[in-house]
Amino acid sequence: MQTFLMKRIAMSLRTLIAVGVAAMAAFGGAGAAMADEEDSVGAIASGKDQIQVSGNGHQRSFPCEGRRAIIEGTDNVITFTGVCSALEVSGSGNSVTIQLAPKAPLTVEGVDNSVRWQSTAEPKKNISGVNNKVVKMSGKG
């Protein structure tokens, strides 16, 4: 009885592994095709406290709704609507347009990043790297 049971478990494990490998291959292939279609690579996570864009080539707009905005990667073009509680940008060649809460933290690290911001009060800026541009937009805020 024990040998029969062990054979069944081994067969079930082999089946699960085969199905898992097939699913990973299918998902990976679909993910690569999707990235090629959109010309972007990486993850986007949007939760109740923050919006995080990682990777490169994303061109998107997000309603901020008081959340923290985090951009990591290269050549992302991101616009936030509404007011964000903070902004963190790292990487290179990212372009971000944002409206910040008064005195919100604004951190930019890396090379050739561009941030255009609006607020009713100057943000708490922490800018490091090379050729980063952080510019207040004219208009309201």
Side-chain angles (χ1 to χ4, degrees):
M1 181 68 161
Q2 197 173 27
T3 305
F4 173 76
L5 187 56
M6 290 175 74
K7 285 181 183 178
R8 291 286 290 167
I9 290 171
M11 189 168 41
S12 294
L13 284 173
R14 281 194 299 270
T15 303
L16 281 172
I17 290 169
V19 168
V21 168
M24 286 172 50
F27 180 74
M34 199 164 47
D36 289 340
E37 287 176 21
E38 295 178 4
D39 244 2
S40 64
V41 176
I44 296 174
S46 180
K48 75 174 193 150
D49 295 327
Q50 72 181 25
I51 301 166
Q52 184 168 2
V53 178
S54 302
N56 68 320
H58 294 286
Q59 295 186 11
R60 300 274 306 263
S61 180
F62 298 94
C64 216
E65 301 168 340
R67 296 179 281 183
R68 166 183 231 102
I70 302 168
I71 311 298
E72 303 168 322
T74 59
D75 300 324
N76 295 297
V77 179
I78 307 296
T79 300
F80 292 100
T81 59
V83 177
C84 295
S85 64
L87 174 64
E88 298 173 28
V89 178
S90 63
S92 68
N94 296 297
S95 177
V96 179
T97 302
I98 192 166
Q99 183 174 354
L100 291 166
K103 300 182 182 180
L106 190 163
T107 303
V108 181
E109 302 171 335
V111 179
D112 293 326
N113 294 299
S114 173
V115 174
R116 295 173 2 115
W117 62 273
Q118 281 186 333
S119 183
T120 57
E122 192 77 15
K124 297 176 190 171
K125 297 177 191 169
N126 181 5
I127 302 165
S128 62
V130 178
N131 204 30
N132 291 312
K133 296 176 183 149
V134 177
V135 178
K136 181 177 182 177
M137 293 185 290
S138 60
K140 70 176 186 176

